[in-house]
Amino acid sequence: MPLALLALAIGAFGIGTTEFVIMGLLPQVAADFGVSIPTSGLLVTGYALGVVVGAPLMTALGTRISRKRMLMLLMVLFTVGNLLSALAPTFGTMLAGRIVASLAHGAFFGIGAVVAADLVAPHKKAGAIAMMFTGLTVANVVGVPGGTLIGQSIGWRTTFAVVAALGVVGLAGIAKLVPEVPTPQGVRLRDEVAAFKNAQVLLAMAMTVLGFGGVFAAITYIAPMMTEVAGFADSSVTWLLVLFGLGMVGGNLLGGRFADRHLMPLLYLTLGALALVIALFTVTAHHKALAAVSVALIGALGFATVPPLQKRVLDQAHGAPTLASAVNIGAFNLGNALAAWLGGMVIASGLGLTAPNWVGALLAASALVLAVLSSALERRDRGAAPAVEAVREAELVSR
């Protein structure tokens, strides 16, 4: 694998840390600002919505400059946002800092995925994308637990200051290792937008929203769920997040390995198993050992869907994949926002801290239905193609 993938993984590590570390710090942040747990969940929802908006916006703004330079500018924006969160005097200011940082997220992974895929042979594209996303998953093994531990021991503001420093490291890595690739000639913004006319692109993005939304419905409120339902100590949340991160790393690598050869069967398997495990989490969350296993499985199954879904969007948006790739990253985070909001609603309604798991199971099952529909439509279109070609040949002969 090219060394440039390491630079992309470094940037992904920083972004992954800031995205997920907040979940282990929700109780501390809520107590510091004097807001409820559901209200503090807006820090997850707001970040996710910022990604949804920022992905197409920042990608469109970057169409006239090189991909390397755009990646560097995105890391600067990410760093500024995390500094704002670290210094926030009010909850609203911290939410604003989260949103500023989130604007870099979608475009970074979207552009980064295209760069990663272009660095390798066609049959290794999913593996290269997975390698970049390894930075995101490793963040959940090292960055998120470490940030949670720092936040619980020293203060959550220190955590976000450290994350800002990670942004600086990511910026330096990109500047040093990523090659200067000019903006592709002949591909205009309207060509990128035209990719969204493809129904398969839209179906893949819908699968992304619902499938990954299932993960976040269960994980957003992991800290209160594990301490108040499973009976873990506050300090144990760090190690539970390590388990989640280890599952993510394994699932991401396996997804990258098999997506190039068995993309749709892989999605059937992972989405179906994800729906089942999240549904069972409503029961296993009451038992420490089973809860820990469930957290790891949710991470593994959830991230096994990332390389195949991202590759499917790139394949279907052939010729102009950059905007579609970035918007699909936004779709992951739209699912996060939807799940965090719905999870907060069912908790606030009095259904209990495990109720978000039912939301997650329903979202993942819906993604599986869309995967089956997508394959059926693809088979139908393939079957129709020879018939259309035969009609065209007959018309030519008759002329």
Side-chain angles (χ1 to χ4, degrees), residues 299-383:
L301 294 169
F303 264 76
T305 68
V306 174
L309 284 172
Q310 196 69 12
K311 182 176 184 294
R312 186 158 180 83
V313 168
L314 290 176
D315 289 345
Q316 298 298 328
H318 47 80
T322 307
L323 183 60
S325 177
V327 171
N328 195 52
I329 299 299
F332 281 107
N333 285 271
L334 179 59
N336 300 351
L338 176 66
W341 176 64
L342 291 174
M345 282 186 62
V346 295
I347 291 174
S349 68
L351 295 177
L353 288 171
T354 62
N357 296 328
W358 289 116
V359 174
L362 179 61
L363 291 173
S366 300
L368 175 60
V369 171
L370 289 183
V372 174
L373 174 62
S374 177
S375 289
L377 291 175
E378 193 168 41
R379 288 194 298 270
R380 184 200 66 181
D381 293 341
R382 287 176 179 172

Side-chain angles (χ1 to χ4, degrees), residues 26 30 35-43 45 91 221 340 343-345 347-348:
L26 282 183
V35 300
S36 67
I37 290 293
T39 298
S40 66
L42 291 174
L43 296 172
T45 303
F91 180 80
Y221 302 97
M345 282 186 62
I347 291 174

Side-chain angles (χ1 to χ4, degrees), residues 15 18 47 50 53-55 57-59 61 69-85 96-108 163-164 167-168 171:
I15 291 176
T18 203
Y47 184 96
V53 174
L57 176 63
M58 301 307 294
T59 303
L61 292 174
R69 185 171 300 177
M70 190 61 194
L71 289 171
M72 292 173 65
L73 290 174
L74 292 170
M75 289 309 298
V76 171
L77 185 63
F78 165 82
T79 302
V80 171
N82 280 286
L83 281 175
L84 183 59
S85 292
R98 293 281 293 166
I99 292 172
V100 169
S102 72
L103 294 176
H105 184 126
F108 180 89
V163 171
V168 176
L171 174 62

Side-chain angles (χ1 to χ4, degrees), residues 229-307:
V229 177
F232 284 102
D234 287 345
S235 59
S236 297
V237 174
T238 298
W239 305 112
L240 289 167
L241 290 173
V242 170
L243 288 176
F244 178 66
L246 288 172
M248 290 171 64
V249 172
N252 178 63
L253 293 176
L254 287 174
R257 179 176 181 181
F258 292 106
D260 282 314
R261 292 173 289 174
H262 310 289
L263 194 150
M264 293 310 293
L266 177 64
L267 285 177
Y268 298 153
L269 175 63
T270 54
L271 290 173
L274 180 63
L276 178 61
V277 170
I278 296 175
L280 290 175
F281 197 28
T282 58
V283 176
T284 60
H286 293 271
H287 306 275
K288 287 185 177 180
L290 294 178
V293 172
S294 298
V295 167
L297 286 175
I298 290 170
L301 294 169
F303 264 76
T305 68
V306 174

Side-chain angles (χ1 to χ4, degrees), residues 183-248:
T183 304
Q185 298 299 314
V187 177
R188 294 167 293 181
L189 182 59
R190 66 180 179 183
D191 296 322
E192 298 276 357
V193 173
F196 295 95
K197 295 179 181 180
N198 186 333
Q200 290 292 351
V201 171
L202 299 179
L203 279 171
M205 291 181 177
M207 283 185 270
T208 298
V209 171
L210 297 172
F212 213 67
V215 175
F216 256 67
I219 297 301
T220 295
Y221 302 97
I222 186 174
M225 192 188 307
M226 292 297 93
T227 55
E228 297 184 33
V229 177
F232 284 102
D234 287 345
S235 59
S236 297
V237 174
T238 298
W239 305 112
L240 289 167
L241 290 173
V242 170
L243 288 176
F244 178 66
L246 288 172
M248 290 171 64

